[in-house]
Amino acid sequence: MLLDNHGREINYLRLAVTDRCNLRCFYCMPENGIRYVNRKDLLTFEEMHRMIRVLSKMGVSKLRITGGEPFLRKGIMDFLGGVSKLEGIEQIHITTNGTFTQEFIPQLEDMGVKSINLSLDSLDKQRFFEITRRDEFDQVMETYRALLDSSIRVKINAVVMEGRNIEDIYSMIELTRTDDVAVRFIEEMPFNGTEGQGNATFWPMKKILNYIKDKYEVEKLNDPPFSTSMNYKVPGFTGSFGLIAAYTRTFCGTCNRVRVTPQGELKTCLYGSGVMSLRDLMRSTDSDEELKDGFLKAIGSRAKDGFEAEKQRDPVSESMATIGG
Ligand code: SAM
């Protein structure tokens, strides 16, 4: 078992395979986008495979593929096919905006992908457009329906924001009436690609829950181990909903994850800066032992929580597309 310096088990890797995205969600990046990493500076798929293989031998069994938009990276399906066969990787999950995902669902099912988190902040076409600045609502809904019909578990990630999609909280709850979906309401974080603009549209988790309780009776569900979401359902409804305290950070005590950015920076906390360049290390040595030592050192000096990690760095100014969420 891989343990950090606070005794927390690390068994989950979140890997951002690209920083490129075709949407421009205002809470994630500026309208004119971000400066993308040069191709040569990105981890290659071979490097990613090697890193996952080494981590899987150290105790990491769960993998999330994210980005940027993962399906924008050419070669992603071959890469996924490869890592799905790695001994030790028991679960693969993907976070996607759903714009290019639909055609790959049968192949993803064959690979045994366990769940897909679909980012969908509004069930209203116009509001979706205002948030994402792209006209992709119909395609994303098609992907959603196709996922419901597949063997892959589907979750919806919805960032809740004042003046943007509060109306959608109730529409999302209504979706759980008939659909076997887990809607996860996420607190907005300051990773919007600009420094100092904060999250003025912020709604804390408790406020979201109280808002739901104003209209619906809710039942608390048991949360799985290491869950970042507090999970609930409306009695009699098919699906469920969860609340993720991504900004108020109430779940750091059980954090089981590390992140790797598209250029191979290892992050031991979402709110921290990168702690080492796995890319540089992998390009300097063929020794998996050295890679393993690098991981152990990084995991042995993790911040206690997201507040401590944030204090140790320059102010947040990056886009979530460079981290993966
Ligand atoms: N392109 C994929 C997608 O849209 O799902 C994966 C990458 S995206 C950065 C991953 C998740 O981060 C999405 O669910 C998105 O809503 C969330 N996210 C991005 N910026 C955020 C922010 N400032 N606060 C909270 N969540 C954010």
Side-chain angles (χ1 to χ4, degrees), residues 27-28 66-69 95-97 119 157 159 187-189 320 324:
Y27 54 79
C28 184
T66 174
E69 175 46 40
T95 304
T96 174
N97 64 29
S119 299
N157 281 358
V159 182
E187 289 178 351
E188 186 184 0
M189 294 177 262
M320 192 67 95

Side-chain angles (χ1 to χ4, degrees), residues 253-270:
T254 55
C255 180
N256 63 335
R257 58 199 62 196
V258 290
R259 292 176 165 78
V260 174
T261 70
Q263 66 270 50
E265 278 291 311
L266 177 65
K267 273 180 175 264
T268 54
C269 174
L270 173 60

Side-chain angles (χ1 to χ4, degrees), residues 19 27 117 173 240 279:
D19 57 350
Y27 54 79
N117 287 10
I173 297 287
S240 63
R279 181 198 62 206

